[in-house]
Structure formats: structure tokens, C-alpha cells
Amino acid sequence: MKINELRKAILCGLLALACFSCSESDHESYCPTWLGFTYTTGNYPNYITGNPRNMVLNPGDSIHVTAHQNKRGHLINRTEYSWTISYDTLDTKGNDDPNDDERVRVESVYNVRTNYDGYVGGSDDPIGHLYLRPNALPSKNGERYYVRFVARYDYSGQGVTIEAGNIIDNSSYGGRITPSSGAIGGGASGYLYFTVPD
């Protein structure tokens, strides 16, 4: 075999190996699947961790909620996380009678923007830093308040459609996070419920 033929054979072999090693899935984008939520709450530095299935918050608490990924996403660019805490306060505006105040629903939002694949820590489990204001009212008639989590992802590869997912049944986590995925992007949404005692 001549040297030129040997070089061509080696080059063809290397190209075939490269094509074989680059499977189609290396170019497929998909969003994470999820385990559920955990949280810590309190007034720094005395944070405590509770059972997220029975989350109880007190007015004035700082809340740090983590959405835990089961399987991390792949080939994701721009990422946005939105955390909303919803609870009741008293409406004191426009009322002549101070004993006739009405409950109104308040929503406070915490947003995070990052690049999932592009930044160190971008693919870490997202954490929402929230605050339950001191004027939050106790839960009424067993009604629960909530923390809502929404994730939005822009893909850098070809999106893979995934089935709506459920969290893994594990008492260490609470709430439910459901992912969705399409051709150019994906996301997730979920809720964690809590009560405020009298």
C-alpha cells in the first residue's frame, strides 16, 4: 500500500469514527425533569428546614425555595426562572370604617435570568429568594397559599418533545413540577403550598 493510499485510508477511518461517535442525540435539546421542591425559612442566620409537604410560614419569614432537577437539561441557552409568592393582607385603602377591612390577595415576584449551558452554575438547581411580609394574614378556613415556579428555556439545538412529567414520589420533596418541551424551547411550572398560622 502506498503512503498516499495509507493516509487516505487513515483519514477515512477517522472521519467514519467521528461520524459514528457523534450520535444524533448530541444535537438534541431538552429541558430538565424534576424531583420537586425543598425550602428553608426563618430569619438569617437561624434558618430552619421543614417538611415541604406541610410547609408553614410565619409573617416576616424569608423563604428560600429550591426546585430540584431529576435529569438536567441539554443544549439550552437563555433561561428565565420566575418565583411568585401569593398570600392575603388587609385592604385598608378607600375604607372609612377601620373595622370593615377586606382581605386582598398579594403576589410578590422574584425573577432570575441566566444561560443554562453558558455560565458556571447556570444549570444548578434554581433557588427562589422570597419574603412573606409581616402583614400577611393567617390562612382562612384551611385555605393554603402558594409559591409558584415557572421556568422558560431557549434551545440551542433541535428540541425533543417530552411527555408531561411528574415528580418522583419522595417524602423529601414537596409540590409538583411539570416540564414541557417543543421544537425551539421548553419550560416547566409547579406549585408549593403553605399555610400561615393564627
Side-chain angles (χ1 to χ4, degrees):
M1 187 178 255
K2 296 181 182 178
I3 293 184
N4 284 341
E5 290 176 1
L6 181 60
R7 285 183 184 160
K8 286 180 185 177
I10 291 173
L11 183 59
C12 287
L14 289 173
L15 287 174
L17 182 60
C19 290
F20 181 74
S21 65
C22 292
S23 67
E24 188 175 326
S25 64
D26 288 342
H27 305 288
E28 294 177 341
S29 292
Y30 49 85
C31 63
T33 56
W34 303 89
L35 292 168
F37 299 105
T38 61
Y39 78 100
T40 58
T41 186
N43 294 305
Y44 183 81
N46 299 314
Y47 288 120
I48 60 166
T49 300
N51 184 335
R53 293 178 186 266
N54 302 306
M55 188 168 157
V56 177
L57 301 177
N58 293 298
D61 276 345
S62 294
I63 307 101
H64 305 275
V65 182
T66 303
H68 295 273
Q69 298 172 85
N70 179 39
K71 181 179 179 183
R72 296 190 185 279
H74 183 61
L75 292 180
I76 297 173
N77 284 328
R78 186 170 64 96
T79 298
E80 295 181 15
Y81 298 120
S82 175
W83 300 86
T84 304
I85 185 168
S86 179
Y87 53 92
D88 288 346
T89 63
L90 286 180
D91 177 16
T92 59
K93 297 178 181 177
N95 243 329
D96 294 332
D97 183 356
N99 298 317
D100 193 28
D101 291 332
E102 294 182 10
R103 295 173 76 103
V104 294
R105 184 55 52 106
V106 174
E107 291 190 344
S108 300
V109 181
Y110 173 76
N111 293 311
V112 177
R113 290 179 177 83
T114 187
N115 186 305
Y116 194 91
D117 290 334
Y119 297 142
V120 173
S123 63
D124 289 348
D125 292 339
I127 301 174
H129 304 286
L130 303 164
Y131 179 61
L132 184 63
R133 293 180 183 170
N135 63 348
L137 294 175
S139 306
K140 187 177 182 181
N141 300 326
E143 178 188 6
R144 296 182 298 167
Y145 299 138
Y146 64 81
V147 172
R148 181 175 62 233
F149 167 69
V150 176
R152 293 184 180 90
Y153 304 106
D154 286 348
Y155 292 156
S156 58
Q158 176 62 41
V160 175
T161 301
I162 61 172
E163 295 180 14
N166 298 325
I167 66 168
I168 303 229
D169 186 14
N170 186 323
S171 60
S172 300
Y173 303 99
R176 186 179 211 63
I177 306 174
T178 303
S180 61
S181 182
I184 60 172
S189 61
Y191 287 86
L192 179 62
Y193 295 93
F194 67 94
T195 57
V196 176
D198 288 325

